[in-house]
Every structure is written in C-alpha cells, then in structure tokens.
Amino acid sequence: MDEKIVLVNVHSVTNAGDEALLISALQQLESNFPGSQVLLSMNDPQNYRGNRVVWSFIPAWVLPLSSP
C-alpha cells in the first residue's frame, strides 16, 4: 500500500540549513516508505522547485496575514 505523508513546518529552501533538512527528510522517507506520496506544507512554497506537491503552511489558511 502506498502511504500518503504530509511533511509540515517546512520553512524555506532559500535557507541552506532548512533546505538540507528537507532534502534529508525526503531521502529518509523515500528510503523507508518507497512509493509513498509526500506532500509538503511550507512557509515559502513559491521558491520550491522540486517535484513534490506543496501547500502553503497550514496556519496561513486560517490566520490573518496582518494584525489590526
């Protein structure tokens, strides 16, 4: 059975450390769950150039972008 995995709290690939953590996490998921579908929930989805499905960071759906 192919698992569906959502990786949450991914920050941005424009930060080298965050990108390295993302790459490592994806490699480990692929190694341990071959054939799984991995979806990313990112703070900065517009800069991601990989081949994964990407959503905006989940709180962005419910929280206002600015406070009054």
Side-chain angles (χ1 to χ4, degrees):
M1 173 184 261
D2 293 341
E3 292 82 11
K4 294 182 180 181
I5 301 168
V6 178
L7 191 57
V8 297
N9 294 333
V10 178
H11 178 56
S12 174
V13 295
T14 60
N15 177 299
D18 290 327
E19 182 179 28
L21 291 171
L22 174 60
I23 291 169
S24 177
L26 291 172
Q27 289 172 342
Q28 290 179 37
L29 288 169
E30 289 170 355
S31 174
N32 290 291
F33 302 99
S36 64
Q37 178 184 357
V38 180
L39 183 137
L40 306 176
S41 174
M42 301 182 78
N43 291 340
D44 182 22
Q46 60 274 13
N47 286 313
Y48 180 69
R49 300 290 179 245
N51 60 355
R52 305 288 177 176
V53 174
V54 179
W55 287 343
S56 294
F57 184 56
I58 293 171
W61 302 343
V62 294
L63 298 175
L65 295 177
S66 62
S67 58

Coordinates of all heavy atoms in Angstrom, one line a residue:
M1 N 0.8 -1.2 0.0 CA 0.0 0.0 0.0 C 0.9 1.2 0.0 O 1.8 1.3 0.7 CB -0.9 0.0 1.2 CG -1.7 1.3 1.4 SD -2.7 1.3 2.9 CE -4.2 0.8 2.2
D2 N 0.5 2.2 -0.8 CA 1.3 3.5 -0.9 C 0.8 4.4 0.2 O -0.4 4.7 0.2 CB 1.1 4.1 -2.3 CG 1.8 3.3 -3.3 OD1 2.7 2.5 -3.0 OD2 1.5 3.5 -4.5
E3 N 1.7 4.8 1.0 CA 1.4 5.8 2.1 C 1.3 7.2 1.5 O 1.9 7.5 0.6 CB 2.4 5.8 3.2 CG 2.5 4.5 4.0 CD 3.3 3.4 3.3 OE1 4.0 3.7 2.3 OE2 3.2 2.3 3.8
K4 N 0.5 8.0 2.2 CA 0.4 9.4 1.9 C 0.9 10.2 3.1 O 0.4 10.0 4.2 CB -1.1 9.8 1.6 CG -1.5 9.2 0.3 CD -2.9 9.6 -0.1 CE -3.3 8.9 -1.4 NZ -4.6 9.3 -1.8
I5 N 1.9 10.9 2.9 CA 2.6 11.6 4.0 C 2.6 13.1 3.8 O 2.9 13.6 2.7 CB 4.1 11.1 4.1 CG1 4.1 9.6 4.3 CG2 4.9 11.8 5.2 CD1 5.5 9.0 4.1
V6 N 2.3 13.9 4.9 CA 2.3 15.3 4.8 C 3.5 15.7 5.8 O 3.5 15.4 6.9 CB 1.0 16.0 5.3 CG1 1.1 17.5 5.3 CG2 -0.1 15.5 4.4
L7 N 4.4 16.4 5.2 CA 5.6 16.9 6.0 C 5.3 18.4 6.3 O 5.2 19.2 5.4 CB 6.8 16.8 5.1 CG 8.2 17.0 5.8 CD1 8.3 16.1 7.0 CD2 9.3 16.8 4.9
V8 N 5.0 18.7 7.6 CA 4.6 20.0 8.0 C 5.8 20.8 8.6 O 6.8 20.2 8.9 CB 3.4 20.0 9.0 CG1 2.2 19.3 8.4 CG2 3.8 19.3 10.2
N9 N 5.6 22.1 8.7 CA 6.6 23.0 9.3 C 7.9 23.1 8.5 O 8.9 23.4 9.0 CB 6.9 22.7 10.7 CG 5.7 22.9 11.6 OD1 4.8 23.7 11.3 ND2 5.6 22.1 12.7
V10 N 7.8 22.9 7.2 CA 8.9 23.1 6.3 C 9.0 24.6 6.1 O 8.1 25.3 5.8 CB 8.8 22.4 4.9 CG1 10.0 22.7 4.0 CG2 8.6 20.9 5.1
H11 N 10.2 25.2 6.3 CA 10.3 26.7 6.3 C 10.5 27.1 4.8 O 9.6 27.5 4.2 CB 11.5 27.2 7.2 CG 11.6 28.7 7.1 ND1 10.6 29.5 7.4 CD2 12.7 29.4 6.8 CE1 11.1 30.8 7.2 NE2 12.3 30.7 6.9
S12 N 11.8 27.1 4.3 CA 12.0 27.7 3.0 C 13.3 27.1 2.5 O 14.3 26.8 3.2 CB 12.2 29.2 3.1 OG 12.6 29.7 1.9
V13 N 13.3 26.9 1.2 CA 14.5 26.3 0.5 C 15.5 27.4 0.2 O 16.6 27.2 -0.2 CB 14.2 25.6 -0.8 CG1 13.4 24.3 -0.5 CG2 13.5 26.5 -1.8
T14 N 15.2 28.7 0.5 CA 16.1 29.8 0.3 C 17.1 29.9 1.5 O 18.1 30.6 1.5 CB 15.4 31.1 0.2 OG1 14.6 31.4 1.3 CG2 14.6 31.1 -1.1
N15 N 16.8 29.1 2.6 CA 17.7 29.0 3.7 C 18.4 27.7 3.6 O 17.8 26.6 3.5 CB 16.9 29.0 5.0 CG 17.8 28.9 6.2 OD1 18.4 27.8 6.4 ND2 17.8 29.9 7.1
A16 N 19.8 27.7 3.5 CA 20.5 26.5 3.2 C 20.3 25.4 4.2 O 20.3 24.2 3.9 CB 22.0 26.8 3.0
G17 N 20.3 25.8 5.5 CA 20.1 24.8 6.5 C 18.7 24.1 6.4 O 18.6 22.9 6.6
D18 N 17.7 24.9 6.2 CA 16.3 24.3 6.1 C 16.2 23.5 4.8 O 15.6 22.4 4.9 CB 15.3 25.5 6.0 CG 15.1 26.2 7.3 OD1 15.3 25.5 8.4 OD2 14.9 27.4 7.3
E19 N 16.9 23.9 3.8 CA 16.9 23.0 2.6 C 17.6 21.7 2.8 O 17.1 20.7 2.4 CB 17.5 23.8 1.4 CG 17.5 23.0 0.1 CD 18.1 23.7 -1.1 OE1 19.0 24.5 -0.9 OE2 17.7 23.4 -2.2
A20 N 18.7 21.7 3.5 CA 19.4 20.5 3.8 C 18.6 19.6 4.7 O 18.5 18.3 4.4 CB 20.7 20.8 4.5
L21 N 17.8 20.1 5.7 CA 16.9 19.3 6.5 C 15.8 18.7 5.6 O 15.5 17.5 5.8 CB 16.4 20.1 7.6 CG 17.3 20.5 8.7 CD1 16.7 21.5 9.6 CD2 17.8 19.3 9.5
L22 N 15.3 19.5 4.7 CA 14.2 19.0 3.8 C 14.7 17.8 3.0 O 14.1 16.8 2.8 CB 13.6 20.1 3.0 CG 12.6 19.7 1.9 CD1 11.4 19.0 2.6 CD2 12.2 20.9 1.1
I23 N 15.9 18.0 2.4 CA 16.4 17.0 1.5 C 16.7 15.7 2.3 O 16.3 14.6 1.8 CB 17.7 17.5 0.8 CG1 17.4 18.6 -0.2 CG2 18.5 16.4 0.2 CD1 18.6 19.4 -0.7
S24 N 17.2 15.8 3.5 CA 17.5 14.7 4.3 C 16.2 14.0 4.7 O 16.1 12.7 4.6 CB 18.3 15.1 5.5 OG 18.5 14.0 6.4
A25 N 15.2 14.7 5.1 CA 13.9 14.1 5.5 C 13.3 13.4 4.3 O 12.8 12.3 4.4 CB 13.0 15.2 6.0
L26 N 13.3 14.0 3.1 CA 12.7 13.4 1.9 C 13.5 12.1 1.5 O 12.9 11.1 1.2 CB 12.7 14.3 0.7 CG 11.8 15.5 0.8 CD1 12.0 16.5 -0.3 CD2 10.3 15.0 0.9
Q27 N 14.8 12.1 1.7 CA 15.6 10.9 1.4 C 15.3 9.8 2.3 O 15.1 8.6 2.0 CB 17.1 11.2 1.4 CG 17.6 12.1 0.3 CD 19.0 12.5 0.5 OE1 19.6 12.5 1.6 NE2 19.6 13.0 -0.6
Q28 N 15.1 10.1 3.6 CA 14.8 9.1 4.6 C 13.4 8.6 4.4 O 13.1 7.4 4.5 CB 14.9 9.7 6.0 CG 16.3 9.9 6.4 CD 16.5 10.5 7.8 OE1 15.7 10.2 8.7 NE2 17.4 11.5 7.9
L29 N 12.4 9.4 4.0 CA 11.1 9.0 3.8 C 11.0 8.1 2.5 O 10.4 7.0 2.6 CB 10.1 10.2 3.6 CG 9.8 10.9 4.8 CD1 9.0 12.2 4.5 CD2 8.9 10.1 5.8
E30 N 11.8 8.4 1.5 CA 11.8 7.6 0.3 C 12.5 6.2 0.6 O 12.0 5.2 0.1 CB 12.6 8.3 -0.8 CG 11.9 9.5 -1.4 CD 12.7 10.3 -2.3 OE1 14.0 10.1 -2.4 OE2 12.2 11.3 -2.9
S31 N 13.5 6.2 1.5 CA 14.2 5.0 1.8 C 13.3 4.1 2.6 O 13.3 2.9 2.4 CB 15.4 5.3 2.6 OG 16.0 4.2 3.1
N32 N 12.5 4.6 3.5 CA 11.7 3.8 4.5 C 10.3 3.6 4.0 O 9.6 2.7 4.4 CB 11.7 4.5 5.8 CG 13.0 4.4 6.5 OD1 13.4 3.3 6.9 ND2 13.7 5.5 6.6
F33 N 9.8 4.4 3.1 CA 8.4 4.3 2.5 C 8.5 4.4 1.0 O 7.9 5.4 0.5 CB 7.5 5.3 3.2 CG 7.4 5.3 4.6 CD1 8.2 6.2 5.4 CD2 6.6 4.4 5.3 CE1 8.1 6.1 6.8 CE2 6.5 4.3 6.7 CZ 7.3 5.2 7.4
P34 N 9.1 3.5 0.3 CA 9.2 3.6 -1.1 C 7.8 3.6 -1.7 O 6.9 2.9 -1.3 CB 10.0 2.3 -1.5 CG 9.9 1.4 -0.3 CD 9.7 2.2 0.9
G35 N 7.6 4.4 -2.7 CA 6.3 4.5 -3.4 C 5.3 5.4 -2.7 O 4.2 5.6 -3.2
S36 N 5.7 6.0 -1.6 CA 4.8 6.9 -0.9 C 4.6 8.2 -1.6 O 5.5 8.6 -2.4 CB 5.2 7.1 0.6 OG 6.5 7.8 0.6
Q37 N 3.5 8.9 -1.3 CA 3.3 10.2 -1.9 C 3.5 11.2 -0.7 O 2.9 11.1 0.3 CB 1.8 10.3 -2.3 CG 1.5 11.7 -2.9 CD 0.0 11.8 -3.2 OE1 -0.7 10.8 -3.2 NE2 -0.4 13.0 -3.6
V38 N 4.5 12.1 -0.9 CA 4.9 13.1 0.1 C 4.4 14.4 -0.3 O 4.8 14.9 -1.4 CB 6.4 13.1 0.4 CG1 6.7 14.1 1.4 CG2 6.9 11.7 0.8
L39 N 3.6 15.1 0.5 CA 3.1 16.4 0.3 C 3.8 17.3 1.3 O 4.0 17.0 2.5 CB 1.6 16.5 0.5 CG 1.0 17.8 0.2 CD1 -0.3 17.6 -0.6 CD2 0.7 18.5 1.5
L40 N 4.3 18.5 0.9 CA 5.0 19.4 1.7 C 4.1 20.6 2.1 O 3.4 21.2 1.3 CB 6.2 20.0 1.0 CG 7.2 19.0 0.5 CD1 8.3 19.7 -0.3 CD2 7.8 18.1 1.6
S41 N 4.1 21.0 3.4 CA 3.4 22.2 3.9 C 4.5 23.2 4.2 O 5.2 23.0 5.2 CB 2.5 21.9 5.1 OG 2.0 23.0 5.6
M42 N 4.7 24.2 3.4 CA 5.8 25.2 3.6 C 5.4 26.6 3.8 O 4.3 27.0 3.4 CB 6.6 25.2 2.3 CG 7.2 23.9 1.8 SD 8.2 24.0 0.3 CE 9.7 24.7 1.0
N43 N 6.3 27.3 4.6 CA 6.1 28.7 4.8 C 6.3 29.5 3.5 O 5.8 30.6 3.3 CB 7.1 29.3 5.8 CG 6.7 28.8 7.2 OD1 5.6 28.4 7.5 ND2 7.7 28.8 8.0
D44 N 7.2 29.0 2.6 CA 7.6 29.7 1.4 C 7.5 28.8 0.2 O 8.5 28.4 -0.4 CB 9.1 30.1 1.6 CG 9.7 30.9 0.5 OD1 8.9 31.5 -0.3 OD2 10.9 30.9 0.4
P45 N 6.3 28.4 -0.2 CA 6.1 27.4 -1.2 C 6.5 28.0 -2.6 O 6.8 27.2 -3.5 CB 4.6 27.1 -1.2 CG 4.0 28.3 -0.5 CD 5.0 28.8 0.4
Q46 N 6.4 29.3 -2.8 CA 6.7 29.8 -4.2 C 8.2 29.6 -4.6 O 8.5 29.7 -5.8 CB 6.3 31.3 -4.3 CG 7.0 32.2 -3.3 CD 6.3 32.3 -1.9 OE1 5.4 31.5 -1.6 NE2 6.7 33.3 -1.2
N47 N 9.1 29.4 -3.6 CA 10.5 29.2 -4.0 C 10.9 27.8 -4.2 O 12.0 27.5 -4.6 CB 11.4 29.9 -3.0 CG 11.4 31.4 -3.1 OD1 11.5 31.9 -4.3 ND2 11.2 32.1 -2.1
Y48 N 10.0 26.8 -3.9 CA 10.3 25.4 -4.0 C 10.3 25.0 -5.5 O 9.3 25.3 -6.2 CB 9.3 24.6 -3.2 CG 9.6 23.1 -3.3 CD1 10.7 22.6 -2.7 CD2 8.7 22.3 -4.0 CE1 11.0 21.2 -2.8 CE2 9.0 20.9 -4.1 CZ 10.1 20.4 -3.5 OH 10.3 19.0 -3.6
R49 N 11.4 24.4 -5.9 CA 11.5 24.0 -7.3 C 11.5 22.5 -7.5 O 11.8 22.0 -8.6 CB 12.7 24.6 -8.0 CG 12.7 26.1 -7.9 CD 11.7 26.7 -8.9 NE 11.7 28.2 -8.8 CZ 10.7 28.9 -8.4 NH1 9.7 28.4 -7.9 NH2 10.8 30.2 -8.3
G50 N 11.2 21.7 -6.5 CA 11.2 20.3 -6.6 C 10.0 19.7 -7.3 O 9.1 20.4 -7.8
N51 N 9.9 18.4 -7.2 CA 8.8 17.7 -7.9 C 7.7 17.2 -6.9 O 6.9 16.4 -7.3 CB 9.3 16.6 -8.7 CG 10.0 15.5 -7.8 OD1 10.2 15.7 -6.6 ND2 10.5 14.5 -8.4
R52 N 7.7 17.8 -5.7 CA 6.6 17.4 -4.7 C 5.4 18.3 -4.8 O 5.6 19.5 -5.2 CB 7.2 17.4 -3.3 CG 8.4 16.6 -3.1 CD 8.1 15.2 -3.1 NE 9.3 14.4 -2.9 CZ 9.3 13.1 -2.8 NH1 8.2 12.4 -2.8 NH2 10.5 12.5 -2.7
V53 N 4.3 17.9 -4.3 CA 3.1 18.7 -4.2 C 3.4 19.6 -3.0 O 3.8 19.1 -1.9 CB 1.9 17.9 -4.0 CG1 0.7 18.8 -3.7 CG2 1.6 17.0 -5.2
V54 N 3.1 20.9 -3.1 CA 3.4 21.8 -2.0 C 2.1 22.6 -1.7 O 1.5 23.1 -2.6 CB 4.5 22.8 -2.4 CG1 4.8 23.8 -1.2 CG2 5.8 22.0 -2.7
W55 N 1.8 22.7 -0.4 CA 0.8 23.6 0.1 C 1.4 24.7 0.9 O 2.5 24.6 1.4 CB -0.1 22.8 1.1 CG -1.0 21.8 0.5 CD1 -1.4 21.7 -0.8 CD2 -1.7 20.8 1.2 NE1 -2.3 20.6 -0.9 CE2 -2.5 20.1 0.3 CE3 -1.7 20.4 2.6 CZ2 -3.2 19.0 0.7 CZ3 -2.5 19.3 2.9 CH2 -3.2 18.6 2.0
S56 N 0.7 25.8 1.0 CA 1.1 26.9 1.9 C 1.0 26.3 3.3 O 0.3 25.4 3.6 CB 0.2 28.1 1.8 OG 0.2 28.7 0.6
F57 N 1.8 26.9 4.2 CA 1.9 26.5 5.6 C 0.5 26.5 6.2 O -0.3 27.4 5.9 CB 2.8 27.5 6.4 CG 3.0 27.1 7.8 CD1 3.5 25.9 8.2 CD2 2.7 28.1 8.8 CE1 3.7 25.6 9.5 CE2 2.9 27.8 10.1 CZ 3.4 26.6 10.5
I58 N 0.1 25.4 6.8 CA -1.3 25.2 7.2 C -1.9 26.4 8.0 O -3.0 26.9 7.7 CB -1.5 23.9 8.0 CG1 -1.2 22.7 7.1 CG2 -2.8 23.8 8.7 CD1 -1.1 21.4 7.7
P59 N -1.2 27.1 9.0 CA -1.8 28.2 9.7 C -2.2 29.4 8.7 O -3.0 30.2 9.0 CB -0.8 28.6 10.7 CG -0.1 27.3 11.0 CD 0.0 26.6 9.7
A60 N -1.5 29.5 7.6 CA -1.8 30.5 6.6 C -3.2 30.4 6.1 O -3.8 31.4 5.6 CB -0.8 30.5 5.5
W61 N -3.8 29.3 6.2 CA -5.2 29.1 5.7 C -6.2 29.7 6.7 O -7.3 30.1 6.3 CB -5.6 27.6 5.6 CG -4.7 26.9 4.7 CD1 -3.8 27.3 3.7 CD2 -4.6 25.4 4.6 NE1 -3.2 26.3 3.1 CE2 -3.6 25.1 3.6 CE3 -5.2 24.4 5.3 CZ2 -3.3 23.8 3.3 CZ3 -4.8 23.1 5.0 CH2 -3.9 22.8 4.0
V62 N -5.8 29.8 8.0 CA -6.8 30.3 9.0 C -6.4 31.5 9.7 O -7.2 32.2 10.4 CB -7.0 29.1 10.0 CG1 -7.7 28.0 9.4 CG2 -5.8 28.7 10.7
L63 N -5.1 31.9 9.7 CA -4.7 33.1 10.4 C -4.6 34.3 9.4 O -4.1 34.2 8.3 CB -3.3 32.9 11.0 CG -3.2 31.8 12.1 CD1 -1.8 31.5 12.5 CD2 -4.1 32.1 13.2
P64 N -4.9 35.5 9.9 CA -4.8 36.7 9.1 C -3.3 37.0 8.9 O -2.5 36.7 9.7 CB -5.4 37.8 9.9 CG -5.5 37.3 11.3 CD -5.5 35.8 11.2
L65 N -3.0 37.6 7.7 CA -1.6 37.9 7.4 C -1.1 39.1 8.2 O 0.1 39.2 8.4 CB -1.4 38.1 5.9 CG -1.7 36.9 5.0 CD1 -1.5 37.3 3.6 CD2 -0.7 35.8 5.3
S66 N -1.9 40.0 8.6 CA -1.5 41.1 9.4 C -2.5 41.3 10.5 O -3.7 41.0 10.4 CB -1.4 42.4 8.5 OG -2.7 42.7 8.0
S67 N -2.1 41.9 11.6 CA -3.0 42.2 12.7 C -3.5 43.6 12.6 O -2.8 44.5 12.1 CB -2.3 41.9 14.0 OG -1.1 42.7 14.1
P68 N -4.6 43.9 13.1 CA -5.2 45.3 13.0 C -4.4 46.3 13.8 O -3.7 46.1 14.7 CB -6.6 45.2 13.6 CG -6.7 43.8 14.2 CD -5.5 43.0 13.8

